[in-house]
Amino acid sequence: MVASMILETLIDFGARLATPGEFSKRAFLNGRVDLIKAEAVARLIEAKSEDAVKILAKQVAGGLGEFINEARDSLIEIMAHIEVSIDYAEDDLPLNLLEKIEEKLLTLERKLENIIEISARKKGLISGFKAVILGKPNVGKSTLLNQILSTNRAIISTVAGTTRDTIEEEIRVGTHLIKIVDTAGIRDSSDEVERIGIGRSKEAAKSADMIIALFDASKKVDEEDMEVLTFLEEIKGDKKCFYLLNKVEKDLKFDKTLLPKEVIEISATKDASPIIRKIREYLDTQKVDSEIILISENQIRRVKETTKALKESKEFLNEGSLELFSFHLHEAVDALRAITRPYSVDEVMDKMFSDFCLGK
Ligand SMILES: Nc1nc2c(ncn2[C@@H]2O[C@H](COP(=O)(O)OP(=O)(O)OP(=O)(O)O)[C@@H](O)[C@H]2O)c(=O)[nH]1
Ligand SMILES: [Mg+2]
């Protein structure tokens, strides 16, 4: 109450409230922080897990900024060499200069590609890993979701084909954030709406970081289970797959040999802790081992633009067309610059800083 009375009095005397992101925007405009730090602060405020806080705090500390600036400096140095060389006759070029430049560019390109790959793998540490519950109808997917969330979020029934749409919820597991998705049971259906739902289930599974594949222990394996297993093989790639046998308090009829040895047995109506524990153990191993990670779409896009420009530039270097080589290097430098201090800031800034909480 006292605080708001003081505030009102100040406003009466002509003060105004800060607009969203105003302090960070000013810090950026005054050159106190670069865009990387400003973006990290924006995200830090909204971080939903300890993992996210750790990564973003590192980002504020500046590892990525240093790396980008060093990369830019080394490209500018190469450009300077080339500008001088353009005036020389080809025979007068310092020995091995072009080979050395090519080697430098290749090293940088590899580093950038490596950062993109690590960032894609670790994305879930900030925004939450996506875990999709998959299985044929009636195996207990929605029951498991509700048990994990400890709520009655999804409708459960003995009717096969109860869940029609995907249901997504966020939960924290240890220090991690996960987005857990319940899906429509996979089967051949003639029902139009159910078919759309099954399509969505498959799309969700394809974009998942983790898959929780559920099978009913109390039923014999049938074609629908086999369809789920085949689909999993198709899309698995480097996703983490947990195989679960549900309803294990009933007599076992399912042929366990079809599933991997490390199958997790549960009774979703009673207890989801075995799978929660496994997810936690798995995510605990997904630590941030790199100081440098890209945290926004903008950063990823710019780094990709940089590697593309570097690749293109090398072709011209090999041909000896130094002007064109230099042109592409300029593009690479501009793309890197856009990560820390873009030339045209208005568009980026308005979008970014308005996402902030008031003031900050
Ligand atoms: N005995 C027993 N029954 C269970 C268990 N888990 C789920 N069920 C029952 O199995 C039936 C189907 O459960 P749901 O959670 O609706 O199954 P679902 O996989 O979501 O089904 P769809 O949405 O149709 O794909 C319900 O009657 C649940 O009560 C369990 O661990 N033990
Ligand atoms: Mg369901």
Side-chain angles (χ1 to χ4, degrees):
M1 195 61 217
V2 177
S4 68
M5 283 165 69
I6 295 174
L7 206 57
E8 272 172 31
T9 315
L10 287 175
I11 290 169
D12 285 346
F13 276 99
R16 70 166 174 83
L17 290 174
T19 55
E22 185 166 348
F23 293 127
S24 303
K25 190 172 175 177
R26 285 187 181 193
F28 173 71
L29 288 175
N30 293 331
R32 305 279 298 268
V33 297
D34 63 13
L35 198 58
I36 294 176
K37 288 188 186 177
E39 263 184 293
V41 171
R43 301 251 173 151
L44 195 54
I45 293 164
E46 291 176 358
K48 289 184 193 153
S49 72
E50 237 176 277
D51 287 348
V53 171
K54 275 187 195 151
I55 294 174
L56 295 168
K58 269 190 191 166
Q59 204 83 351
V60 178
L64 177 63
E66 271 166 37
F67 172 77
I68 298 288
N69 288 334
E70 275 167 25
R72 218 182 65 214
D73 289 348
S74 72
L75 289 181
I76 290 173
E77 199 185 306
I78 293 175
M79 262 155 52
H81 275 297
I82 290 296
E83 304 281 320
V84 175
S85 310
I86 287 174
D87 300 332
Y88 280 78
E90 200 165 309
D91 299 341
D92 297 338
L93 284 182
L95 212 58
N96 286 340
L97 177 71
L98 298 188
E99 281 87 356
K100 275 187 197 147
I101 288 180
E102 192 174 357
E103 209 177 288
K104 267 193 176 174
L105 291 181
L106 194 66
T107 314
L108 180 60
E109 202 182 302
R110 291 216 178 102
K111 274 190 193 161
L112 293 172
E113 280 172 347
N114 190 246
I115 290 176
I116 294 175
E117 201 223 296
I118 292 175
S119 306
R121 264 193 286 128
K122 309 280 173 178
K123 201 172 102 202
L125 290 169
I126 299 175
S127 53
F129 290 100
K130 188 163 165 184
V132 171
I133 309 176
L134 210 68
K136 69 174 184 182
N138 234 6
V139 288
K141 298 180 294 300
S142 303
T143 309
L144 179 64
L145 174 82
N146 287 350
Q147 189 64 254
I148 291 175
L149 298 174
S150 309
T151 60
N152 288 325
R153 175 69 180 83
I155 299 170
I156 292 169
S157 89
T158 51
V159 179
T162 305
T163 307
R164 295 299 184 92
D165 212 344
T166 47
I167 300 176
E168 186 173 318
E169 288 290 332
E170 283 184 350
I171 52 157
R172 258 188 292 265
V173 176
T175 61
H176 321 286
L177 180 72
I178 67 170
K179 291 178 192 155
I180 188 146
V181 186
D182 178 24
T183 62
I186 293 188
R187 65 169 167 182
D188 269 334
S189 169
S190 53
D191 182 296
E192 172 77 17
V193 179
E194 192 180 350
R195 278 225 308 273
I196 296 172
I198 293 168
R200 288 191 182 179
S201 306
K202 291 186 170 174
E203 287 312 308
K206 284 179 196 164
S207 67
D209 301 295
M210 293 176 274
I211 295 198
I212 302 171
L214 210 56
F215 300 90
D216 186 340
S218 68
K219 296 264 170 62
K220 280 198 172 140
V221 177
D222 63 12
E223 262 179 37
E224 287 170 354
D225 289 309
M226 295 311 292
E227 198 187 321
V228 172
L229 284 168
T230 316
F231 175 67
L232 271 177
E233 282 310 312
E234 270 171 41
I235 61 147
K236 203 170 162 191
D238 55 3
K239 301 181 201 314
K240 175 71 184 169
C241 262
F242 299 99
Y243 291 84
L244 270 64
L245 210 46
N246 188 27
K247 314 191 188 181
V248 286
E249 82 284 1
K250 290 184 160 184
D251 287 342
L252 177 73
K253 298 227 176 85
F254 195 92
D255 177 5
K256 275 211 284 193
T257 60
L258 284 171
L259 302 177
K261 267 205 286 305
E262 59 275 16
V263 62
I264 303 161
E265 305 198 346
I266 58 159
S267 259
T269 36
K270 297 201 186 81
D271 181 19
S273 60
I275 175 64
I276 296 177
R277 206 164 40 239
K278 289 283 178 193
I279 291 176
R280 184 172 178 166
E281 278 168 19
Y282 169 67
L283 291 180
D284 281 347
T285 65
Q286 301 296 99
K287 292 245 165 56
V288 210
D289 37 24
S290 162
E291 292 287 318
I292 297 166
I293 175 170
L294 307 170
I295 59 159
S296 70
E297 288 303 319
N298 174 51
Q299 290 171 358
I300 292 170
R301 187 159 55 94
R302 299 305 188 183
V303 172
K304 282 184 178 164
E305 279 171 16
T306 310
T307 50
K308 185 167 166 262
L310 288 183
K311 280 201 172 86
E312 284 166 354
S313 76
K314 272 192 314 195
E315 283 171 30
F316 294 107
L317 184 67
N318 292 332
E319 285 173 12
S321 323
L322 297 185
E323 285 91 350
L324 283 168
F325 168 69
S326 182
F327 170 79
H328 286 285
L329 272 199
H330 266 287
E331 280 190 343
V333 170
D334 283 349
L336 285 178
R337 191 185 160 86
I339 298 175
T340 50
R341 271 204 170 266
Y343 287 118
S344 154
V345 288
D346 292 356
E347 174 203 1
V348 195
M349 300 264 293
D350 287 345
K351 194 184 159 329
M352 228 193 74
F353 291 107
S354 59
D355 287 345
F356 273 60
C357 303
L358 278 190
K360 304 284 180 350

